[in-house]
Amino acid sequence: MTYRDILKKVDHTLLKQPSTWEQIREICDDAVKYGTASVCIPPSFVKQAAEYLDGKMPVCTVIGFPNGYNTTAVKVFETKEALKDGAEEIDMVINIGWVRMGQYDKVLAEINALKEACGDHILKVIIETCLLTDEEKIKMCETVAASGADFIKTSTGFSDAGATKPDVALMKAHMAAGKKIKVAGGIADFNDAREFVLLGADRLGTSRLVEQAKKKGGDLDAEI
């Protein structure tokens, strides 16, 4: 596995509250230069970024972020607005309170409502693993597997902790064939990313790897 192989799986991410257009534009440029899977940015910058990138890089954005407790109608509206502005991928946050109450039918219905709004566009479902028990994580794997969503995603990066390797191994063991896994929050370096990929991660939400690639220089086709 090479550095470039890893970068192709990265959603190059900037979601911090004080982010400016100049910073968003920089990560767009870096994403194109280093060949990442997408840029993942706040909804308010999607239109500007999509116009700036002009098809050179998919734009991903977040819905119900980071807490997930918006109503379904609000999340559907956010999704439609983001797609209209040029987003190609959507990362939604579930209602964690519903999970705590065992209301998985409501979680499933919400995921499917957003997938209906997404159509052929990719939908990733953030379950915020650090706030769930293992039993709840398994139930969410089953729920996402039963839904129309394309990915299950570990974390927002804005809660108590990010992705862990045991969580990714658990997801891999309980997700249905054809459903993918995105890891986010706390990916330290390329070696760490490689371990997540070997465990089953298909996407990596991070800004660190591109930053490390910029500092590294040299051959990105070298083995990690």
Side-chain angles (χ1 to χ4, degrees):
M1 197 180 303
T2 67
Y3 291 91
R4 198 177 305 278
D5 290 333
I6 295 291
L7 289 167
K8 288 176 182 176
K9 297 179 183 293
V10 169
D11 289 342
H12 190 30
T13 303
L14 181 60
L15 295 168
K16 294 177 181 177
Q17 294 93 328
S19 300
T20 65
W21 168 241
E22 288 72 22
Q23 292 169 314
I24 298 292
R25 184 175 59 196
E26 181 180 355
I27 75 157
C28 288
D29 290 339
D30 288 342
V32 172
K33 180 176 179 179
Y34 290 95
T36 65
S38 77
V39 288
C40 187
I41 60 174
S44 57
F45 289 111
V46 165
K47 184 175 175 59
Q48 199 169 2
E51 291 173 352
Y52 178 73
L53 286 164
D54 192 25
K56 294 190 289 290
M57 174 65 51
V59 175
C60 172
T61 195
V62 289
I63 301 298
F65 194 87
N67 296 313
Y69 46 42
N70 313 59
T71 66
T72 299
V74 167
K75 290 179 182 177
V76 169
F77 177 81
E78 282 187 283
T79 299
K80 290 179 177 178
E81 282 289 292
L83 295 171
K84 184 177 71 175
D85 286 344
E88 295 185 42
E89 302 188 5
I90 298 293
D91 290 19
M92 66 168 287
V93 186
I94 62 164
N95 188 315
I96 296 160
W98 289 351
V99 173
R100 281 289 166 85
M101 293 185 286
Q103 296 179 333
Y104 295 99
D105 55 338
K106 294 178 71 173
V107 178
L108 177 60
E110 180 171 271
I111 294 169
N112 283 335
L114 266 71
K115 183 58 183 176
E116 183 178 357
C118 283
D120 293 335
H121 296 282
I122 289 173
L123 176 64
K124 311 185 197 98
V125 179
I126 306 171
I127 69 169
E128 204 70 281
T129 48
C130 66
L131 300 181
L132 304 181
T133 65
D134 281 352
E135 182 181 357
E136 289 166 342
K137 293 169 196 172
I138 291 168
K139 286 292 294 182
M140 277 311 307
C141 287
E142 294 169 353
T143 302
V144 176
S147 77
D150 303 281
F151 281 77
I152 191 168
K153 178 178 171 183
T154 60
S155 319
T156 63
F158 281 69
S159 191
D160 299 340
T164 69
K165 295 178 179 69
D167 281 342
V168 176
L170 180 148
M171 286 178 167
K172 186 65 177 176
H174 291 91
M175 287 303 296
K179 301 289 184 178
K180 298 180 179 180
I181 297 169
K182 178 175 174 180
V183 170
I187 300 169
D189 53 31
F190 277 95
N191 287 321
D192 200 28
R194 181 178 182 275
E195 290 183 34
F196 277 121
V197 170
L198 290 173
L199 284 168
D202 301 282
R203 287 284 186 94
L204 307 163
T206 180
S207 61
R208 290 178 181 168
L209 298 184
V210 168
E211 292 305 312
Q212 289 174 17
K214 290 167 74 173
K215 292 175 183 176
K216 176 185 181 299
D219 184 10
L220 293 178
D221 293 312
E223 294 286 330
I224 299 172

